[in-house]
PDB file of all heavy atoms in Angstrom:
ATOM      1  N   LEU A   1       0.838  -1.205   0.000  1.00 96.00           N
ATOM      2  CA  LEU A   1       0.000   0.000   0.000  1.00 96.00           C
ATOM      3  C   LEU A   1       0.869   1.250   0.000  1.00 96.00           C
ATOM      4  O   LEU A   1       2.051   1.220   0.333  1.00 96.00           O
ATOM      5  CB  LEU A   1      -0.962   0.004   1.183  1.00 96.00           C
ATOM      6  CG  LEU A   1      -0.466  -0.101   2.621  1.00 96.00           C
ATOM      7  CD1 LEU A   1       0.195   1.176   3.103  1.00 96.00           C
ATOM      8  CD2 LEU A   1      -1.645  -0.428   3.550  1.00 96.00           C
ATOM      9  N   SER A   2       0.261   2.374  -0.387  1.00 97.00           N
ATOM     10  CA  SER A   2       0.935   3.671  -0.320  1.00 97.00           C
ATOM     11  C   SER A   2       0.692   4.252   1.066  1.00 97.00           C
ATOM     12  O   SER A   2      -0.454   4.335   1.525  1.00 97.00           O
ATOM     13  CB  SER A   2       0.392   4.610  -1.389  1.00 97.00           C
ATOM     14  OG  SER A   2       0.657   4.102  -2.680  1.00 97.00           O
ATOM     15  N   LEU A   3       1.766   4.661   1.714  1.00 98.00           N
ATOM     16  CA  LEU A   3       1.688   5.113   3.099  1.00 98.00           C
ATOM     17  C   LEU A   3       2.459   6.407   3.266  1.00 98.00           C
ATOM     18  O   LEU A   3       3.620   6.518   2.841  1.00 98.00           O
ATOM     19  CB  LEU A   3       2.261   4.037   4.029  1.00 98.00           C
ATOM     20  CG  LEU A   3       2.277   4.349   5.525  1.00 98.00           C
ATOM     21  CD1 LEU A   3       0.882   4.174   6.118  1.00 98.00           C
ATOM     22  CD2 LEU A   3       3.269   3.454   6.262  1.00 98.00           C
ATOM     23  N   TRP A   4       1.816   7.385   3.904  1.00 97.00           N
ATOM     24  CA  TRP A   4       2.513   8.609   4.294  1.00 97.00           C
ATOM     25  C   TRP A   4       2.981   8.447   5.736  1.00 97.00           C
ATOM     26  O   TRP A   4       2.234   7.982   6.594  1.00 97.00           O
ATOM     27  CB  TRP A   4       1.572   9.807   4.194  1.00 97.00           C
ATOM     28  CG  TRP A   4       2.201  11.090   4.672  1.00 97.00           C
ATOM     29  CD1 TRP A   4       2.851  12.009   3.924  1.00 97.00           C
ATOM     30  CD2 TRP A   4       2.256  11.560   6.019  1.00 97.00           C
ATOM     31  NE1 TRP A   4       3.316  13.034   4.707  1.00 97.00           N
ATOM     32  CE2 TRP A   4       2.960  12.786   6.012  1.00 97.00           C
ATOM     33  CE3 TRP A   4       1.775  11.079   7.230  1.00 97.00           C
ATOM     34  CZ2 TRP A   4       3.195  13.518   7.163  1.00 97.00           C
ATOM     35  CZ3 TRP A   4       2.017  11.804   8.380  1.00 97.00           C
ATOM     36  CH2 TRP A   4       2.716  13.017   8.335  1.00 97.00           C
ATOM     37  N   HIS A   5       4.233   8.843   5.999  1.00 97.00           N
ATOM     38  CA  HIS A   5       4.766   8.729   7.361  1.00 97.00           C
ATOM     39  C   HIS A   5       5.873   9.746   7.553  1.00 97.00           C
ATOM     40  O   HIS A   5       6.848   9.773   6.788  1.00 97.00           O
ATOM     41  CB  HIS A   5       5.317   7.319   7.615  1.00 97.00           C
ATOM     42  CG  HIS A   5       5.917   7.133   8.982  1.00 97.00           C
ATOM     43  ND1 HIS A   5       5.153   6.845  10.094  1.00 97.00           N
ATOM     44  CD2 HIS A   5       7.199   7.211   9.406  1.00 97.00           C
ATOM     45  CE1 HIS A   5       5.942   6.746  11.146  1.00 97.00           C
ATOM     46  NE2 HIS A   5       7.191   6.973  10.763  1.00 97.00           N
ATOM     47  N   GLY A   6       5.704  10.625   8.551  1.00 95.00           N
ATOM     48  CA  GLY A   6       6.759  11.562   8.923  1.00 95.00           C
ATOM     49  C   GLY A   6       7.181  12.510   7.823  1.00 95.00           C
ATOM     50  O   GLY A   6       8.353  12.886   7.749  1.00 95.00           O
ATOM     51  N   GLY A   7       6.241  12.882   6.954  1.00 95.00           N
ATOM     52  CA  GLY A   7       6.554  13.819   5.891  1.00 95.00           C
ATOM     53  C   GLY A   7       7.034  13.188   4.606  1.00 95.00           C
ATOM     54  O   GLY A   7       7.322  13.891   3.630  1.00 95.00           O
ATOM     55  N   GLU A   8       7.120  11.861   4.569  1.00 96.00           N
ATOM     56  CA  GLU A   8       7.567  11.139   3.376  1.00 96.00           C
ATOM     57  C   GLU A   8       6.500  10.116   2.973  1.00 96.00           C
ATOM     58  O   GLU A   8       5.623   9.759   3.763  1.00 96.00           O
ATOM     59  CB  GLU A   8       8.890  10.415   3.637  1.00 96.00           C
ATOM     60  CG  GLU A   8      10.042  11.315   4.072  1.00 96.00           C
ATOM     61  CD  GLU A   8      10.630  12.116   2.918  1.00 96.00           C
ATOM     62  OE1 GLU A   8      10.259  11.858   1.755  1.00 96.00           O
ATOM     63  OE2 GLU A   8      11.469  12.997   3.188  1.00 96.00           O
ATOM     64  N   CYS A   9       6.615   9.646   1.717  1.00 97.00           N
ATOM     65  CA  CYS A   9       5.690   8.629   1.220  1.00 97.00           C
ATOM     66  C   CYS A   9       6.443   7.331   0.951  1.00 97.00           C
ATOM     67  O   CYS A   9       7.616   7.357   0.555  1.00 97.00           O
ATOM     68  CB  CYS A   9       4.997   9.113  -0.050  1.00 97.00           C
ATOM     69  SG  CYS A   9       3.941  10.571   0.211  1.00 97.00           S
ATOM     70  N   TYR A  10       5.743   6.218   1.156  1.00 97.00           N
ATOM     71  CA  TYR A  10       6.390   4.911   1.072  1.00 97.00           C
ATOM     72  C   TYR A  10       5.441   3.880   0.454  1.00 97.00           C
ATOM     73  O   TYR A  10       4.217   4.048   0.465  1.00 97.00           O
ATOM     74  CB  TYR A  10       6.787   4.417   2.471  1.00 97.00           C
ATOM     75  CG  TYR A  10       7.729   5.331   3.212  1.00 97.00           C
ATOM     76  CD1 TYR A  10       7.243   6.355   4.021  1.00 97.00           C
ATOM     77  CD2 TYR A  10       9.113   5.177   3.100  1.00 97.00           C
ATOM     78  CE1 TYR A  10       8.108   7.204   4.690  1.00 97.00           C
ATOM     79  CE2 TYR A  10       9.986   6.013   3.773  1.00 97.00           C
ATOM     80  CZ  TYR A  10       9.478   7.031   4.574  1.00 97.00           C
ATOM     81  OH  TYR A  10      10.330   7.875   5.237  1.00 97.00           O
ATOM     82  N   ARG A  11       6.016   2.809  -0.076  1.00 96.00           N
ATOM     83  CA  ARG A  11       5.284   1.584  -0.391  1.00 96.00           C
ATOM     84  C   ARG A  11       5.576   0.625   0.756  1.00 96.00           C
ATOM     85  O   ARG A  11       6.749   0.307   1.020  1.00 96.00           O
ATOM     86  CB  ARG A  11       5.753   0.971  -1.704  1.00 96.00           C
ATOM     87  CG  ARG A  11       5.530   1.857  -2.915  1.00 96.00           C
ATOM     88  CD  ARG A  11       4.087   1.912  -3.340  1.00 96.00           C
ATOM     89  NE  ARG A  11       3.962   2.606  -4.625  1.00 96.00           N
ATOM     90  CZ  ARG A  11       2.857   3.201  -5.045  1.00 96.00           C
ATOM     91  NH1 ARG A  11       1.791   3.207  -4.262  1.00 96.00           N
ATOM     92  NH2 ARG A  11       2.823   3.796  -6.203  1.00 96.00           N
ATOM     93  N   ALA A  12       4.542   0.182   1.434  1.00 96.00           N
ATOM     94  CA  ALA A  12       4.786  -0.551   2.676  1.00 96.00           C
ATOM     95  C   ALA A  12       3.916  -1.791   2.791  1.00 96.00           C
ATOM     96  O   ALA A  12       2.805  -1.850   2.274  1.00 96.00           O
ATOM     97  CB  ALA A  12       4.531   0.365   3.874  1.00 96.00           C
ATOM     98  N   GLN A  13       4.463  -2.769   3.493  1.00 95.00           N
ATOM     99  CA  GLN A  13       3.738  -3.961   3.914  1.00 95.00           C
ATOM    100  C   GLN A  13       3.893  -4.094   5.425  1.00 95.00           C
ATOM    101  O   GLN A  13       4.717  -3.419   6.046  1.00 95.00           O
ATOM    102  CB  GLN A  13       4.272  -5.200   3.198  1.00 95.00           C
ATOM    103  CG  GLN A  13       3.998  -5.216   1.699  1.00 95.00           C
ATOM    104  CD  GLN A  13       4.516  -6.469   1.021  1.00 95.00           C
ATOM    105  OE1 GLN A  13       5.654  -6.887   1.248  1.00 95.00           O
ATOM    106  NE2 GLN A  13       3.709  -7.070   0.169  1.00 95.00           N
ATOM    107  N   ALA A  14       3.088  -4.958   6.027  1.00 97.00           N
ATOM    108  CA  ALA A  14       3.165  -5.153   7.476  1.00 97.00           C
ATOM    109  C   ALA A  14       4.483  -5.814   7.861  1.00 97.00           C
ATOM    110  O   ALA A  14       5.014  -6.634   7.094  1.00 97.00           O
ATOM    111  CB  ALA A  14       1.990  -6.007   7.940  1.00 97.00           C
ATOM    112  N   PRO A  15       5.017  -5.443   9.022  1.00 97.00           N
ATOM    113  CA  PRO A  15       4.470  -4.477   9.973  1.00 97.00           C
ATOM    114  C   PRO A  15       4.602  -3.038   9.467  1.00 97.00           C
ATOM    115  O   PRO A  15       5.685  -2.624   9.048  1.00 97.00           O
ATOM    116  CB  PRO A  15       5.302  -4.701  11.245  1.00 97.00           C
ATOM    117  CG  PRO A  15       6.580  -5.327  10.772  1.00 97.00           C
ATOM    118  CD  PRO A  15       6.231  -6.121   9.556  1.00 97.00           C
ATOM    119  N   LEU A  16       3.491  -2.307   9.485  1.00 97.00           N
ATOM    120  CA  LEU A  16       3.445  -0.981   8.892  1.00 97.00           C
ATOM    121  C   LEU A  16       4.088   0.069   9.785  1.00 97.00           C
ATOM    122  O   LEU A  16       3.882   0.074  11.001  1.00 97.00           O
ATOM    123  CB  LEU A  16       1.987  -0.574   8.626  1.00 97.00           C
ATOM    124  CG  LEU A  16       1.225  -1.380   7.578  1.00 97.00           C
ATOM    125  CD1 LEU A  16      -0.214  -0.884   7.507  1.00 97.00           C
ATOM    126  CD2 LEU A  16       1.896  -1.282   6.215  1.00 97.00           C
ATOM    127  N   PRO A  17       4.830   1.004   9.207  1.00 97.00           N
ATOM    128  CA  PRO A  17       5.338   2.144   9.970  1.00 97.00           C
ATOM    129  C   PRO A  17       4.190   2.962  10.564  1.00 97.00           C
ATOM    130  O   PRO A  17       3.119   3.098   9.954  1.00 97.00           O
ATOM    131  CB  PRO A  17       6.096   2.959   8.917  1.00 97.00           C
ATOM    132  CG  PRO A  17       6.448   1.981   7.847  1.00 97.00           C
ATOM    133  CD  PRO A  17       5.310   1.005   7.813  1.00 97.00           C
ATOM    134  N   GLY A  18       4.431   3.473  11.772  1.00 98.00           N
ATOM    135  CA  GLY A  18       3.411   4.268  12.442  1.00 98.00           C
ATOM    136  C   GLY A  18       2.536   3.475  13.379  1.00 98.00           C
ATOM    137  O   GLY A  18       1.601   4.019  13.977  1.00 98.00           O
ATOM    138  N   ALA A  19       2.828   2.191  13.533  1.00 98.00           N
ATOM    139  CA  ALA A  19       2.004   1.336  14.389  1.00 98.00           C
ATOM    140  C   ALA A  19       2.903   0.415  15.210  1.00 98.00           C
ATOM    141  O   ALA A  19       4.014   0.074  14.799  1.00 98.00           O
ATOM    142  CB  ALA A  19       1.031   0.508  13.557  1.00 98.00           C
ATOM    143  N   THR A  20       2.400   0.002  16.374  1.00 98.00           N
ATOM    144  CA  THR A  20       3.124  -0.951  17.203  1.00 98.00           C
ATOM    145  C   THR A  20       2.900  -2.375  16.690  1.00 98.00           C
ATOM    146  O   THR A  20       1.999  -2.636  15.895  1.00 98.00           O
ATOM    147  CB  THR A  20       2.670  -0.861  18.669  1.00 98.00           C
ATOM    148  OG1 THR A  20       1.243  -1.083  18.735  1.00 98.00           O
ATOM    149  CG2 THR A  20       2.981   0.507  19.258  1.00 98.00           C
ATOM    150  N   GLY A  21       3.736  -3.289  17.183  1.00 98.00           N
ATOM    151  CA  GLY A  21       3.583  -4.700  16.848  1.00 98.00           C
ATOM    152  C   GLY A  21       4.466  -5.126  15.690  1.00 98.00           C
ATOM    153  O   GLY A  21       4.905  -4.305  14.874  1.00 98.00           O
ATOM    154  N   GLN A  22       4.684  -6.431  15.603  1.00 97.00           N
ATOM    155  CA  GLN A  22       5.531  -6.995  14.556  1.00 97.00           C
ATOM    156  C   GLN A  22       4.799  -8.037  13.723  1.00 97.00           C
ATOM    157  O   GLN A  22       5.416  -8.795  12.970  1.00 97.00           O
ATOM    158  CB  GLN A  22       6.781  -7.616  15.196  1.00 97.00           C
ATOM    159  CG  GLN A  22       7.621  -6.611  15.953  1.00 97.00           C
ATOM    160  CD  GLN A  22       8.883  -7.227  16.544  1.00 97.00           C
ATOM    161  OE1 GLN A  22       9.269  -8.336  16.192  1.00 97.00           O
ATOM    162  NE2 GLN A  22       9.522  -6.510  17.456  1.00 97.00           N
ATOM    163  N   GLY A  23       3.459  -8.071  13.865  1.00 97.00           N
ATOM    164  CA  GLY A  23       2.673  -9.032  13.107  1.00 97.00           C
ATOM    165  C   GLY A  23       2.064  -8.414  11.862  1.00 97.00           C
ATOM    166  O   GLY A  23       2.621  -7.503  11.260  1.00 97.00           O
ATOM    167  N   ASP A  24       0.913  -8.932  11.495  1.00 97.00           N
ATOM    168  CA  ASP A  24       0.233  -8.462  10.288  1.00 97.00           C
ATOM    169  C   ASP A  24      -0.715  -7.314  10.623  1.00 97.00           C
ATOM    170  O   ASP A  24      -1.005  -7.041  11.797  1.00 97.00           O
ATOM    171  CB  ASP A  24      -0.541  -9.613   9.638  1.00 97.00           C
ATOM    172  CG  ASP A  24      -0.676  -9.439   8.127  1.00 97.00           C
ATOM    173  OD1 ASP A  24      -0.490  -8.304   7.640  1.00 97.00           O
ATOM    174  OD2 ASP A  24      -0.983 -10.419   7.436  1.00 97.00           O
ATOM    175  N   SER A  25      -1.202  -6.663   9.581  1.00 97.00           N
ATOM    176  CA  SER A  25      -2.106  -5.518   9.722  1.00 97.00           C
ATOM    177  C   SER A  25      -3.247  -5.665   8.728  1.00 97.00           C
ATOM    178  O   SER A  25      -3.063  -6.203   7.628  1.00 97.00           O
ATOM    179  CB  SER A  25      -1.347  -4.215   9.452  1.00 97.00           C
ATOM    180  OG  SER A  25      -2.227  -3.124   9.317  1.00 97.00           O
ATOM    181  N   LEU A  26      -4.414  -5.157   9.085  1.00 96.00           N
ATOM    182  CA  LEU A  26      -5.562  -5.307   8.183  1.00 96.00           C
ATOM    183  C   LEU A  26      -5.518  -4.337   7.002  1.00 96.00           C
ATOM    184  O   LEU A  26      -6.176  -4.547   5.985  1.00 96.00           O
ATOM    185  CB  LEU A  26      -6.882  -5.198   8.941  1.00 96.00           C
ATOM    186  CG  LEU A  26      -7.329  -3.884   9.563  1.00 96.00           C
ATOM    187  CD1 LEU A  26      -8.032  -2.986   8.571  1.00 96.00           C
ATOM    188  CD2 LEU A  26      -8.292  -4.164  10.721  1.00 96.00           C
ATOM    189  N   TRP A  27      -4.734  -3.240   7.093  1.00 98.00           N
ATOM    190  CA  TRP A  27      -4.799  -2.201   6.053  1.00 98.00           C
ATOM    191  C   TRP A  27      -4.203  -2.637   4.724  1.00 98.00           C
ATOM    192  O   TRP A  27      -4.768  -2.275   3.661  1.00 98.00           O
ATOM    193  CB  TRP A  27      -4.178  -0.916   6.577  1.00 98.00           C
ATOM    194  CG  TRP A  27      -4.741  -0.575   7.932  1.00 98.00           C
ATOM    195  CD1 TRP A  27      -4.073  -0.525   9.121  1.00 98.00           C
ATOM    196  CD2 TRP A  27      -6.122  -0.331   8.256  1.00 98.00           C
ATOM    197  NE1 TRP A  27      -4.940  -0.246  10.151  1.00 98.00           N
ATOM    198  CE2 TRP A  27      -6.206  -0.129   9.662  1.00 98.00           C
ATOM    199  CE3 TRP A  27      -7.296  -0.271   7.507  1.00 98.00           C
ATOM    200  CZ2 TRP A  27      -7.404   0.141  10.315  1.00 98.00           C
ATOM    201  CZ3 TRP A  27      -8.499  -0.005   8.158  1.00 98.00           C
ATOM    202  CH2 TRP A  27      -8.546   0.202   9.538  1.00 98.00           C
ATOM    203  N   PRO A  28      -3.117  -3.410   4.656  1.00 97.00           N
ATOM    204  CA  PRO A  28      -2.697  -3.927   3.345  1.00 97.00           C
ATOM    205  C   PRO A  28      -3.756  -4.821   2.701  1.00 97.00           C
ATOM    206  O   PRO A  28      -3.926  -4.796   1.477  1.00 97.00           O
ATOM    207  CB  PRO A  28      -1.422  -4.719   3.667  1.00 97.00           C
ATOM    208  CG  PRO A  28      -0.886  -4.067   4.899  1.00 97.00           C
ATOM    209  CD  PRO A  28      -2.106  -3.701   5.698  1.00 97.00           C
ATOM    210  N   TRP A  29      -4.486  -5.570   3.535  1.00 97.00           N
ATOM    211  CA  TRP A  29      -5.549  -6.420   3.000  1.00 97.00           C
ATOM    212  C   TRP A  29      -6.730  -5.585   2.518  1.00 97.00           C
ATOM    213  O   TRP A  29      -7.351  -5.915   1.501  1.00 97.00           O
ATOM    214  CB  TRP A  29      -5.991  -7.436   4.057  1.00 97.00           C
ATOM    215  CG  TRP A  29      -4.915  -8.420   4.384  1.00 97.00           C
ATOM    216  CD1 TRP A  29      -4.043  -8.388   5.444  1.00 97.00           C
ATOM    217  CD2 TRP A  29      -4.552  -9.569   3.614  1.00 97.00           C
ATOM    218  NE1 TRP A  29      -3.171  -9.448   5.388  1.00 97.00           N
ATOM    219  CE2 TRP A  29      -3.453 -10.187   4.273  1.00 97.00           C
ATOM    220  CE3 TRP A  29      -5.046 -10.137   2.443  1.00 97.00           C
ATOM    221  CZ2 TRP A  29      -2.862 -11.345   3.788  1.00 97.00           C
ATOM    222  CZ3 TRP A  29      -4.444 -11.290   1.961  1.00 97.00           C
ATOM    223  CH2 TRP A  29      -3.367 -11.888   2.635  1.00 97.00           C
TER     224      TRP A  29
END
């Protein structure tokens, strides 16, 4: 997914920047 974080843009998969945890996330799904 396209993710904005800290003033920059990224292509990201879980674990997503900006969130706690090291598992999966529902937002890529």
Side-chain angles (χ1 to χ4, degrees):
L1 57 73
S2 297
L3 179 77
W4 176 93
H5 178 83
E8 302 284 351
C9 296
Y10 301 89
R11 298 285 189 203
Q13 293 181 313
L16 294 177
T20 57
Q22 299 182 14
D24 208 342
S25 168
L26 68 84
W27 311 115
W29 294 98

